[in-house]
Amino acid sequence: MKMRIEKDSMGEVQVPADALYSAQTQRAFENFQISDLKFQRSFIEAIGLIKKAAANVNGSLGLIETEIAQVIEKASQEVSDGLLDRHFVLDIFQTGSGTSTNMNANEVIANRATQILSEQGKEGKVHPNDHVNYGQSSNDTIPTAIRIAAVLQIRTHLLPAVCQLREAFLKRG
């Protein structure tokens, strides 16, 4: 597997060359290999929705540049749509308030948003903390994502199953 070097405040770390995540996600991946359980699609979808909404608000308030907010929104929509799931590599069991998972999302979205800028023929770099995570905290983002994911699961799985059960009961009289 080809690797690239990423740097953060703790130094250098090798990351798979084609990964959209960066150093913090790689460190969490290496340090918290506890189970084979990954986050469910609905949770990743919820994280994408949160990051998209935050970028929209931060852009409209002038807290981050409009152009940056727009590419964050596009990248976040790709996360929500499931196009970037393979870049969410962390085990569900980890330390703290989900900071590693929040940073995984921030890094994936920032790197994809930077790619989108480049695809548009524009220069610039989207930063995971300064742009994607602006005004957010893992203490807010993760519990909110859990709640949104629950609503998504209710809407897509529970309610259809309850309707199907109701129909089965009605057929039996």
Side-chain angles (χ1 to χ4, degrees), residues 50-60 64 69 72-73 76 136:
I50 291 166
K51 299 297 179 177
K52 180 180 180 181
N56 181 278
V57 170
N58 288 331
S60 68
I64 59 176
I72 291 171
E73 287 184 63
S76 297
Q136 299 167 59

Side-chain angles (χ1 to χ4, degrees), residues 15-155:
V15 176
D18 65 343
L20 285 176
Y21 54 86
S22 299
Q24 289 189 40
T25 300
Q26 184 64 36
R27 290 184 200 288
F29 177 76
E30 292 171 3
N31 291 326
F32 301 111
Q33 294 184 11
I34 298 167
S35 74
D36 291 329
L37 299 174
K38 305 293 182 211
F39 287 91
Q40 289 186 354
R41 169 93 278 285
S42 59
F43 181 85
I44 297 170
E45 179 180 359
I47 288 277
L49 293 171
I50 291 166
K51 299 297 179 177
K52 180 180 180 181
N56 181 278
V57 170
N58 288 331
S60 68
L61 293 174
L63 299 172
I64 59 176
E65 297 169 39
T66 303
E67 185 173 72
I68 297 292
Q70 290 172 344
V71 293
I72 291 171
E73 287 184 63
K74 285 184 179 184
S76 297
Q77 186 64 53
E78 289 181 9
V79 167
S80 186
D81 291 343
L83 302 176
L84 306 176
D85 283 0
R86 71 181 185 90
H87 300 283
F88 287 84
V89 296
L90 299 181
D91 195 297
I92 62 167
F93 297 106
Q94 52 192 255
T95 188
S97 60
T99 300
S100 297
T101 300
N102 190 44
M103 280 310 300
N104 187 182
N106 294 334
E107 289 176 346
V108 168
I109 293 167
N111 287 325
R112 178 63 187 124
T114 299
Q115 286 177 345
I116 294 169
L117 272 177
S118 178
E119 290 166 3
Q120 295 174 348
K122 299 173 185 170
E123 291 187 23
K125 182 160 175 49
V126 178
H127 193 275
N129 282 317
D130 297 343
H131 297 131
V132 179
N133 200 52
Y134 188 92
Q136 299 167 59
S137 165
S138 300
N139 292 324
D140 300 322
T141 303
I142 299 304
T144 301
I146 291 168
R147 288 170 176 84
I148 291 171
V151 170
L152 293 171
Q153 290 282 31
I154 289 167
R155 186 184 327 148

